[in-house]
C-alpha cells in the first residue's frame, strides 16, 4: 500500500466551486445586479462575510438565505428592484450546478485507489444533498456533512475538527481539498493537510503557510497523490 495513502486515508472535499461549476448561478447573479464579473465576486464575498457574521454573533441562517439577502442588499445599493422571492429563485441555481468536467472521473479514480471521501459544505443539509444528487456524484461520498449540524460556518476551525470527529479520525489524517484560500486556511488551523485547487479566478492567500498540494484540478491532484 502506498505510504502517502496511509498518511492521508480520508479526503474531505469542499463542494461549491471545488466540485461544482457555479457558472449558471453566476450568470443569474450578474443579471439580477445588471453587472459584470466584479459584481458576482462582490456578491460571493459579501455572502461569505455575512455567514461569518452569523458565526460571530452565534446566530444561523441557511446559506441560501444569506446569499439571497446579500443579493438584495447589492441590488438596493444599485437602485434595482429585487424581491425576496426573486432573490431566492436565483439562489435555487445553487442546487442545479453541474460538476466541473474532470470531477466525476477524478472521484472515481480516488475511490478506485481506496481513499475514503467526504463532502463538507456551508450549504444546508437539504441543499447539499440536492446539489450532489443533481450533479450525479452523491454516491461517491461516505458521508455528506453540512455545517447546518453545527450552525457554524467555515472557515471556523471547529467545523473541520467536527468533520474529522464525525469520521472517527484525527485532523492530521485528513486531506482537505478546496478551491478557496479562506477554506484551506480554516482546515490548516484545524491541523489538516490541505490541497488548493487553483481554478480560474482563484489564488492562494499569501499570509498562510504553503498548502500541502496546489494543483489546477482534481485529476492532477489524484496523479500527484498516487504516483
Amino acid at each position: 500500500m502506498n505510504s502517502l495513502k496511509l498518511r492521508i486515508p480520508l479526503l474531505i472535499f469542499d463542494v461549491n466551486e471545488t466540485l461544482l461549476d457555479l457558472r449558471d448561478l453566476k450568470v443569474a447573479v450578474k443579471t439580477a445586479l445588471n453587472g459584470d464579473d466584479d459584481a458576482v465576486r462582490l456578491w460571493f464575498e459579501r455572502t461569505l462575510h455575512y455567514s461569518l457574521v452569523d458565526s460571530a454573533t452565534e446566530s444561523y441562517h441557511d446559506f441560501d438565505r444569506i446569499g439571497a439577502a446579500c443579493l438584495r442588499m447589492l441590488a438596493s445599493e444599485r437602485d434595482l428592484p429585487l424581491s425576496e422571492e426573486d432573490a431566492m429563485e436565483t439562489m435555487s441555481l445553487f442546487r442545479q450546478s453541474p460538476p466541473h468536467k474532470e470531477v466525476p472521473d477524478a472521484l472515481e479514480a480516488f475511490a478506485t485507489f481506496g481513499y475514503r471521501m467526504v463532502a463538507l459544505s456551508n450549504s444546508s443539509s437539504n441543499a447539499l444533498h440536492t446539489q450532489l444528487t443533481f450533479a450525479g456524484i452523491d454516491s461517491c461520498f461516505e458521508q455528506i456533512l453540512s455545517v447546518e449540524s453545527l450552525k457554524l460556518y467555515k472557515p471556523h476551525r471547529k467545523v473541520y475538527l467536527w468533520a474529522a470527529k464525525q469520521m472517527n479520525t484525527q485532523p492530521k489524517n485528513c486531506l482537505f481539498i478546496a478551491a478557496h484560500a479562506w477554506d484551506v486556511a480554516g482546515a490548516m488551523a484545524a491541523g489538516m493537510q490541505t490541497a488548493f485547487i487553483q481554478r480560474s479566478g482563484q489564488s492562494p492567500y499569501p499570509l498562510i503557510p504553503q498548502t500541502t498540494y496546489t494543483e489546477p484540478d482534481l485529476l492532477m491532484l489524484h496523479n500527484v497523490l498516487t504516483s
Side-chain angles (χ1 to χ4, degrees):
M1 183 179 292
N2 188 298
S3 61
L4 183 60
K5 181 179 173 183
L6 287 173
R7 293 200 299 274
I8 47 172
L10 181 65
L11 306 182
I12 303 179
F13 293 86
D14 171 53
V15 174
N16 295 318
E17 293 197 299
T18 301
L19 298 177
L20 303 184
D21 186 347
L22 304 184
R23 188 177 312 167
D24 291 345
L25 172 63
K26 292 177 180 180
V27 169
V29 168
K30 187 187 302 186
T31 300
L33 296 178
N34 194 22
D36 54 16
D37 289 342
D38 286 338
V40 176
R41 280 191 288 269
L42 179 59
W43 163 76
F44 194 64
E45 289 169 0
R46 189 170 293 193
T47 299
L48 292 172
H49 175 83
Y50 278 96
S51 71
L52 295 179
V53 169
D54 263 17
S55 294
T57 58
E58 299 182 350
S59 57
Y60 180 81
H61 301 87
D62 286 355
F63 199 62
D64 283 359
R65 287 190 63 197
I66 296 174
C70 290
L71 186 60
R72 293 184 70 200
M73 289 170 70
L74 289 169
S76 177
E77 291 165 15
R78 289 161 170 74
D79 295 322
L80 298 170
L82 184 64
S83 69
E84 181 177 3
E85 181 181 4
D86 287 343
M88 287 301 295
E89 179 66 24
T90 299
M91 291 304 100
S92 71
L93 292 175
F94 256 129
R95 306 182 186 215
Q96 302 170 38
S97 299
H100 288 288
K101 61 182 181 180
E102 92 285 358
V103 165
D105 288 343
L107 293 178
E108 182 178 353
F110 282 126
T112 299
F113 196 73
Y115 283 108
R116 299 171 67 199
M117 294 186 291
V118 174
L120 175 63
S121 178
N122 276 343
S123 294
S124 69
S125 180
N126 179 269
L128 179 55
H129 281 83
T130 301
Q131 285 178 291
L132 295 176
T133 300
F134 180 88
I137 56 176
D138 55 307
S139 62
C140 296
F141 301 103
E142 183 176 336
Q143 290 285 342
I144 297 173
L145 301 175
S146 165
V147 300
E148 184 178 14
S149 296
L150 281 181
K151 292 184 166 44
L152 193 66
Y153 280 103
K154 295 189 295 175
H156 199 293
R157 178 172 172 268
K158 288 182 179 179
V159 175
Y160 308 91
L161 295 174
W162 167 79
K165 185 176 181 179
Q166 295 304 299
M167 303 309 298
N168 297 310
T169 190
Q170 297 296 315
K172 66 182 180 180
N173 295 325
C174 302
L175 178 67
F176 182 75
I177 302 165
H180 301 111
W182 55 266
D183 212 352
V184 167
M188 279 186 182
M192 292 182 176
Q193 298 182 65
T194 55
F196 178 55
I197 305 303
Q198 194 164 2
R199 298 205 183 276
S200 177
Q202 301 293 336
S203 60
Y205 180 45
L207 298 184
I208 61 173
Q210 186 174 355
T211 53
T212 317
Y213 307 97
T214 298
E215 298 297 335
D217 62 39
L218 293 182
L219 276 177
M220 291 296 292
L221 177 63
H222 170 268
N223 292 342
V224 169
L225 291 182
T226 59
S227 62

